[in-house]
Amino acid sequence: MLKKLFMLLILSGAVLTAQSQIKRPKLVVGLVVDQMRWDYLYYYYNEFGEGGLKRLVNEGFSCENTMINYVPTVTAIGHSSIYTGSVPALTGITGNNFFIDGRPTYCCEDSTVRSVGSRSKEGQMSPRNLLASTIGDELKIATDYKAKVIGVALKDRAAILPVGHTADAAYWWDTSAGHYVSSTFYMNQLPRWVQDFNKVNRQKPGTDVKTSTQGITLTFKMAETALEKEQMGQDDITDLLAVSISSTDAIGHTYGTRGKENYDAYMQLDKDLAHFLSLLDSKIGKDNYLLFLSADHGAAHNANLLKHHRISAGGYSISSQSPKLNEYLAQQYGVKNLIVGTNSNRIFLNHAKAAQAGIALADIKRTAIEWLKQDERVMYAVDFSNAEYESMPQVIKERIINGYNARRSGDIYVVTLPEYVEDSVTPQYKGTNHSMWNPYDSHIPLVFMGWGIGHGSTVAPTRIVDIAPTVCAMLHIQMPDACVGDAIRQVVE
Ligand SMILES: [Zn+2]
């Protein structure tokens, strides 16, 4: 009897000990700033107020050398890779737009769902093209689906891909309606609080809020309202709020990485972030939330500005090369339109047409590569399925292989000279672009702050795919199912 009692005491003790050992934050907040170059943290540092980006750097832990380890460096892939800890080869998100077995596809398009909150097609979106689980999915699984997971952004892909398949909701901006919408993938009607938010914040249909600082504020306001109305972080089960700021990208594309417009965007971001952080402090408690800030990609500086300062720069547009190459291939093989499309320096060949005409794909690729290499702006034109055997620096090769998905990423990948943006650069060109392997596109900020995070920084190499396993290690939950990254020891330990 005594022995039994003793055993019971030990057992109940063990259970109590185990419970007191698994500690988790009440809320995880992922904040992605679209097109934020790593060096903006320091380029604008002196201009920032105390409570926003400067606070993150001064209180948080910064991984100063975080690189994107795949190509192309674009929005849909950046958001899916941050939250899956994986690369396009495995997630199937190989671009904003790509071809699945020759069929043109937008990353989040889903004709089986309908818009919720508007009658337009802007809500016909879901994460079904994403082949991997996210941090949010794993958090759901670990909590028997009790965790609340919500995504907010102006861009649909930046709201949908981060939270994944099991999310409670994703909300994005329908420009044609002038307010936030969702899709029947998540719900059949907008919650009352979203309807109320839309009533107060509605814009004239068609208004372009993405290319204005107002878009930044509209996103933070929506995130703050979701936080309060959905009572996120208010119980013992960890919730996830994924927020992405899209306006910084639209402003960067239009006006470039320097100048008043970019400055205004980052000052607005800083101000709105400070408000958001102070709300998290008061609603959740300063040490009860874990927040990370990162970016889906960077951006090149304006090519004309660089040229003006004698730095080699220019443009190369794969879409304008494509008709000429298609014509050349037609002459060689007697078959028209062997190229089905191009995107982010990739050429997608029409496999069915080649097979029908009895031409070996390898032969077409060889001919096309020879033609592409005649252009002196092209450093490498690579057979995507065979990059391993190309004589090129290992770091570029690895990023090409990580970006290669046999069904979705095309057949040839073109590496241009540094600072040659994927665009037609005219003397009037004021903006910028991104998608390359180069540091200006692939070096992103990564700062953790809050629950379990000490102040500090590391210059040890880290990668975009390390973010998800780091967050999962801190939460003691399984990493996403296609994760190829590693938890960052300096952050977790
Ligand atoms: Zn982006």
Side-chain angles (χ1 to χ4, degrees), residues 182-319:
S182 189
S183 89
T184 50
F185 180 83
Y186 305 97
M187 60 191 77
N188 290 320
Q189 69 174 67
L190 294 176
R192 185 84 240 165
W193 70 262
V194 179
Q195 294 179 31
D196 292 344
F197 183 93
N198 281 342
K199 258 181 222 155
V200 176
N201 295 285
R202 179 166 289 131
Q203 304 294 311
K204 200 172 143 227
T207 308
D208 176 18
V209 296
K210 283 178 186 157
T211 322
S212 82
T213 57
Q214 189 195 9
I216 299 171
T217 307
L218 278 170
T219 310
F220 274 108
K221 265 184 159 176
M222 181 67 176
E224 290 173 358
T225 312
L227 182 83
E228 291 189 72
K229 300 294 182 187
E230 294 288 350
Q231 300 182 316
M232 301 189 78
Q234 297 302 319
D235 59 23
D236 290 337
I237 296 161
T238 308
D239 298 325
L240 171 71
L241 179 61
V243 185
S244 181
I245 306 301
S246 308
S247 297
T248 39
D249 180 67
I251 290 168
H253 276 293
T254 312
Y255 303 104
T257 58
R258 291 290 186 260
K260 189 183 182 305
E261 292 82 3
N262 199 276
Y263 172 86
D264 287 348
Y266 279 86
M267 293 308 115
Q268 190 65 51
L269 170 72
D270 185 50
K271 210 174 132 206
D272 292 345
L273 174 64
H275 186 270
F276 183 53
L277 292 178
S278 71
L279 189 81
L280 287 168
D281 289 348
S282 65
K283 295 277 172 198
I284 317 290
K286 213 175 166 192
D287 297 316
N288 291 330
Y289 63 91
L290 168 64
L291 178 140
F292 69 83
L293 173 138
S294 192
D296 55 343
H297 53 76
H301 292 307
N302 176 270
N304 287 321
L305 181 70
L306 293 178
K307 278 201 275 193
H308 181 73
H309 293 280
R310 299 187 294 190
I311 292 170
S312 168
Y316 178 85
S317 164
I318 194 85
S319 59

Side-chain angles (χ1 to χ4, degrees), residues 34-35 74-76 79 155 249 296-297 434:
D34 207 309
Q35 205 188 106
V74 297
T75 301
H79 285 82
K155 289 183 186 175
D249 180 67
D296 55 343
H297 53 76
H434 53 84

